Amino acid sequence: MKFLYFILLVVSGPLWASGEMPQEQQLAMTYMQALSEHNYEALYSFYDRETVFNDRTAGREYIGERHIIEFLKRAHQGVLEYGFNVEHMYNSGSLVVMIGSYQFKGPGDLFGKPGKIINIAIPGVTTLKLDMVTERVKEHLDLIDYQTMQDQLQTQ
């Protein structure tokens, strides 16, 4: 997964440097990098007590940096690799929309398949409402295709 992020960084790096990628998208990519790397210290700097992290498809919502970080630590526990492969990204002001797939690799125990290593890619859309003055995330909203995840798990 880090290789995919490296490729994205190499390809988009010159865009960042030349200013062609909007600031909102740059901030979104920095945030998603911290999320992918489980960099909780960096993530704390993106959240405040009013930040909302919402996985609407799963029916889960967490409010405030402490609750969001606790959730992420639980969700990442045991995961060997985690990342979001951005296939398309655009923004309207401080609303950034990223379309791609979340990729997970981890022990089968996490997915009800003990003794196996599970590797899945789940299509999803992540939207971020950003505060560009404070460079924080106001709202992180995920819409994830969990049916595709179930289909992939059945074949592994």
Side-chain angles (χ1 to χ4, degrees):
M1 189 67 231
K2 289 187 184 220
F3 177 73
L4 288 174
Y5 180 74
F6 175 74
I7 295 298
L8 180 62
L9 186 62
V10 168
V11 170
S12 62
L15 294 176
W16 291 19
S18 68
E20 290 181 38
M21 180 181 275
Q23 285 183 310
E24 294 85 358
Q25 292 181 24
Q26 290 179 39
L27 183 60
M29 291 301 293
T30 302
Y31 166 72
M32 293 303 285
Q33 178 183 3
L35 186 63
S36 293
E37 294 177 351
H38 308 176
N39 185 342
Y40 303 114
E41 186 177 321
L43 287 171
Y44 265 111
S45 71
F46 282 103
Y47 304 138
D48 62 28
R49 65 180 178 200
E50 295 175 5
T51 301
V52 176
F53 188 103
N54 187 350
D55 182 344
R56 186 168 292 163
T57 323
R60 303 272 189 220
E61 181 177 273
Y62 302 91
I63 300 173
E65 72 266 65
R66 186 173 56 87
H67 292 113
I68 294 168
I69 296 292
E70 286 174 1
F71 159 70
L72 292 173
K73 285 181 177 179
R74 283 191 315 270
H76 293 157
Q77 191 171 21
V79 173
L80 302 172
E81 292 179 23
Y82 168 82
F84 186 66
N85 180 24
V86 178
E87 296 166 13
H88 186 70
M89 176 171 49
Y90 61 93
N91 68 293
S92 176
S94 62
L95 174 66
V96 178
V97 178
M98 294 176 283
I99 301 166
S101 60
Y102 280 94
Q103 299 182 335
F104 300 93
K105 183 176 182 180
D109 297 355
L110 299 173
F111 302 98
K113 301 211 175 240
K116 294 184 175 185
I117 297 296
I118 301 297
N119 194 357
I120 54 178
I122 309 164
V125 176
T126 292
T127 64
L128 301 174
K129 290 182 185 174
L130 304 172
D131 181 332
M132 294 307 294
V133 173
T134 61
E135 296 190 338
R136 291 183 183 248
V137 175
K138 290 182 182 179
E139 180 182 13
H140 174 141
L141 172 66
D142 284 332
L143 298 166
I144 298 174
D145 182 357
Y146 288 112
Q147 182 60 51
T148 296
M149 179 181 85
Q150 290 300 323
D151 293 346
Q152 289 178 28
L153 286 172
Q154 287 180 355
T155 64
Q156 294 192 41

